[in-house]
Amino acid sequence: MSLTLDTARTVISGARAKGREAGLKPLTVVVLDAGGHVVAVEREDGASNKRFEIAFGKAHGALSLGMGSRALMERAEQQPYFIAAVTNAVGGSLVPVPGGVLVKDAEGALLGAVGITGDTSDNDELAAVSGIEGAGLVAQPGA
Amino acid sequence: MSLTLDTARTVISGARAKGREAGLKPLTVVVLDAGGHVVAVEREDGASNKRFEIAFGKAHGALSLGMGSRALMERAEQQPYFIAAVTNAVGGSLVPVPGGVLVKDAEGALLGAVGITGDTSDNDELAAVSGIEGAGLVAQPGA
Amino acid sequence: MSLTLDTARTVISGARAKGREAGLKPLTVVVLDAGGHVVAVEREDGASNKRFEIAFGKAHGALSLGMGSRALMERAEQQPYFIAAVTNAVGGSLVPVPGGVLVKDAEGALLGAVGITGDTSDNDELAAVSGIEGAGLVAQPGA
Amino acid sequence: MSLTLDTARTVISGARAKGREAGLKPLTVVVLDAGGHVVAVEREDGASNKRFEIAFGKAHGALSLGMGSRALMERAEQQPYFIAAVTNAVGGSLVPVPGGVLVKDAEGALLGAVGITGDTSDNDELAAVSGIEGAGLVAQPGA
């Protein structure tokens, strides 16, 4: 596992604090390791049923193609059939809107990804970046 | 189960009565609890084979994202690739047209959702709202 | 649709009455038409989340092979790999224990199937047969 | 959501403390609400890739049938084809060994479920029960 549970919890804590500070709707935060596997999740009270699946899809999509999910959205705007095809090819879960952010260390090594859903996609991304940077790591929300 | 079977049957009975009164085509009515699980279903004579699956998808989609399926349609108009991706991420059943309506109590607590298909989407939604309100509950057809 | 909604509701009502009379646990009753499509469902309060899916699988399995699900259990005891393979081949839902009962008319014409889950498989079948016969129809629980 | 995120975090914290105290291997702890949806997850450092999926399957299976996963194991020993069929019918995730424990309140109302994997199934269950009881709730590991 390239990202420890303690780090994941720090990222989640920071992202949720940012959400509260900015008055966002209930957030669901998923942290995956570099292999795309779940390390930690928290779904805030009042979030709807499938928010884990959506947040997972943002982070999983980001890791699948090696770019933040904002870049996936840009590609989806240009070539929706490409994103649909890749979603299928990678086994299903890829949500191409902002809020799926790669996590790297200071040297640029990939550690994992964070996916957030609950408010607007832009705000979801804001909370993710805040959580990652608060843990002393580098956030890559786009290409 | 956050919504009793008796309540579900009252909602179905009211929705079907509205359909008859308004001269609608044969309706299929699905009631889910807050967790997205089937409580009761009735498919009227003459409805086509897969109407259960369509009505289920409207209600299941509404609960998955925490908004009536009319709001899902608006999102699908703006970002079709987002709705396609979420459909995939939540395991497949999400029908983004009106007729999937959240059911809440007077305090705003989520009890479940109703999905109806058979006539136009607008009329399907009309019947759902009528059935929910006739049971003394609050209907949320959109965002 | 080979079995009307009114008939389906009569079957469900009779099966649930039998359950109450015999002191069974909360039942979930699914009625399918001859094509294997949902006509009506009721899940009693206190039944667990996936009881619709299990009851559906009993009835759907019975219609898939043209025999009550008690006969599917006998086959599963003898050749588990056959039932596993057929489940896959028919697209997924086939639950080979008693409680999936074919519904026929007096001339032997197939009208649909009933699936029940909630108590022991034997009691589930008892309630299904009672509901079918109470509607003036013929129940086929096995081969 | 029938179980708050704060409660879920308390359960996870207690289960992990029990694991450390008893010298167990790295645990993965999943908490689901009564509808079977993810509330919180923590996977300890050193746990293998798919531990989230396994822990989820224990808790999801328990909620699907309304009994702790130890009871699912007993059923699997008696009728392996039944558990295989139900796994398929409920959409795939049902792991029938101990470690999936229902969470109830003092009045017996179902709040959700905990799934743990990492050590022996018996020890996984021990940690789950400890976490649930430490949060002042009632654990149901079996039928």
Side-chain angles (χ1 to χ4, degrees):
Chain A
M1 205 175 336
S2 42
L3 187 147
T4 66
L5 174 53
D6 278 348
T7 299
R9 293 180 69 200
T10 301
V11 170
I12 291 175
S13 176
R16 291 183 57 200
K18 184 68 180 178
R20 278 191 302 276
E21 177 198 315
L24 305 188
K25 291 182 187 166
L27 299 180
T28 298
V29 188
V30 172
V31 181
L32 307 183
D33 65 20
H37 306 292
V38 174
V39 179
V41 181
E42 294 192 6
R43 177 163 66 105
E44 294 187 332
D45 299 350
S48 65
N49 288 343
K50 294 293 189 182
R51 291 294 168 176
F52 161 71
E53 284 78 2
I54 296 170
F56 178 87
K58 291 184 181 186
H60 184 258
L63 287 165
S64 295
L65 278 87
M67 57 186 77
S69 62
R70 177 173 291 278
L72 300 179
M73 181 175 72
E74 290 159 9
R75 189 69 183 264
E77 297 278 4
Q78 295 159 5
Q79 291 186 298
Y81 54 83
F82 173 74
I83 290 294
V86 170
T87 299
N88 194 292
V90 304
S93 195
L94 186 160
V95 176
V97 296
V101 180
L102 295 179
V103 182
K104 298 187 169 178
D105 66 16
E107 284 73 41
L110 180 67
L111 301 180
V114 175
I116 298 189
T117 183
D119 205 279
T120 66
S121 297
D122 285 347
N123 283 338
D124 294 341
E125 183 188 87
L126 185 78
V129 169
S130 180
I132 294 165
E133 294 181 346
L137 297 167
V138 177
Q140 181 185 328
Chain B
M1 207 175 332
S2 43
L3 188 147
T4 65
L5 174 53
D6 278 349
T7 300
R9 292 181 68 199
T10 300
V11 170
I12 291 176
S13 175
R16 292 183 58 201
K18 185 68 180 181
R20 279 192 302 276
E21 176 199 315
L24 305 187
K25 292 182 187 168
L27 300 181
T28 298
V29 187
V30 172
V31 181
L32 307 183
D33 66 20
H37 307 292
V38 173
V39 179
V41 181
E42 296 192 5
R43 177 163 66 106
E44 294 186 332
D45 299 351
S48 63
N49 287 341
K50 293 292 189 182
R51 290 292 169 175
F52 161 71
E53 284 78 3
I54 296 170
F56 179 86
K58 292 184 182 186
H60 185 259
L63 286 165
S64 295
L65 278 87
M67 56 188 77
S69 63
R70 177 173 291 277
L72 299 179
M73 181 175 71
E74 288 160 10
R75 187 73 184 262
E77 298 278 2
Q78 294 160 4
Q79 289 185 300
Y81 53 82
F82 174 74
I83 290 295
V86 170
T87 300
N88 193 297
V90 305
S93 195
L94 186 159
V95 177
V97 296
V101 180
L102 295 179
V103 181
K104 297 187 169 179
D105 66 17
E107 285 73 40
L110 181 67
L111 302 180
V114 175
I116 298 188
T117 182
D119 205 281
T120 66
S121 295
D122 285 346
N123 283 338
D124 294 340
E125 185 188 86
L126 186 78
V129 170
S130 181
I132 294 165
E133 294 182 346
L137 297 168
V138 177
Q140 182 185 327
Chain C
M1 209 177 329
S2 43
L3 186 148
T4 66
L5 175 52
D6 278 349
T7 300
R9 294 180 68 199
T10 300
V11 169
I12 291 175
S13 175
R16 292 183 57 201
K18 184 67 180 179
R20 280 192 301 277
E21 177 197 315
L24 305 188
K25 291 182 188 167
L27 299 181
T28 299
V29 187
V30 172
V31 181
L32 306 183
D33 65 20
H37 306 292
V38 172
V39 179
V41 181
E42 295 192 5
R43 177 164 66 106
E44 294 186 332
D45 299 349
S48 65
N49 288 341
K50 295 293 189 181
R51 290 293 169 175
F52 162 71
E53 285 78 2
I54 296 170
F56 178 87
K58 291 184 181 185
H60 184 259
L63 287 164
S64 295
L65 278 86
M67 57 186 77
S69 62
R70 178 174 290 277
L72 299 178
M73 181 175 71
E74 288 159 9
R75 190 69 183 266
E77 297 278 3
Q78 296 160 4
Q79 291 186 298
Y81 53 85
F82 173 74
I83 289 293
V86 170
T87 299
N88 193 293
V90 303
S93 195
L94 187 161
V95 176
V97 295
V101 180
L102 295 179
V103 182
K104 298 187 169 179
D105 66 16
E107 284 73 40
L110 181 67
L111 301 180
V114 175
I116 298 188
T117 183
D119 205 280
T120 66
S121 297
D122 286 346
N123 283 338
D124 295 340
E125 183 189 87
L126 185 79
V129 170
S130 181
I132 293 165
E133 294 181 345
L137 296 167
V138 177
Q140 182 184 329
Chain D
M1 210 178 327
S2 43
L3 187 146
T4 66
L5 174 53
D6 279 348
T7 300
R9 293 180 68 200
T10 302
V11 170
I12 291 176
S13 175
R16 292 183 57 202
K18 184 67 180 180
R20 279 191 302 275
E21 176 199 316
L24 305 188
K25 292 182 187 167
L27 300 181
T28 298
V29 187
V30 172
V31 181
L32 307 183
D33 66 19
H37 307 292
V38 173
V39 179
V41 181
E42 296 192 5
R43 176 163 66 105
E44 294 186 332
D45 300 350
S48 64
N49 287 341
K50 294 291 190 183
R51 290 292 169 176
F52 162 71
E53 285 77 3
I54 296 171
F56 178 86
K58 291 184 181 186
H60 185 259
L63 286 165
S64 295
L65 278 87
M67 56 187 78
S69 63
R70 178 174 290 278
L72 300 179
M73 181 175 70
E74 288 160 9
R75 187 73 183 263
E77 299 277 2
Q78 295 159 5
Q79 290 186 301
Y81 53 82
F82 173 74
I83 289 295
V86 170
T87 300
N88 194 297
V90 305
S93 195
L94 186 160
V95 176
V97 296
V101 180
L102 296 179
V103 182
K104 297 187 169 180
D105 67 17
E107 284 74 39
L110 182 68
L111 301 180
V114 175
I116 298 188
T117 183
D119 205 280
T120 66
S121 297
D122 285 346
N123 283 339
D124 295 339
E125 184 189 86
L126 185 79
V129 170
S130 180
I132 293 165
E133 293 182 347
L137 297 168
V138 177
Q140 182 185 327

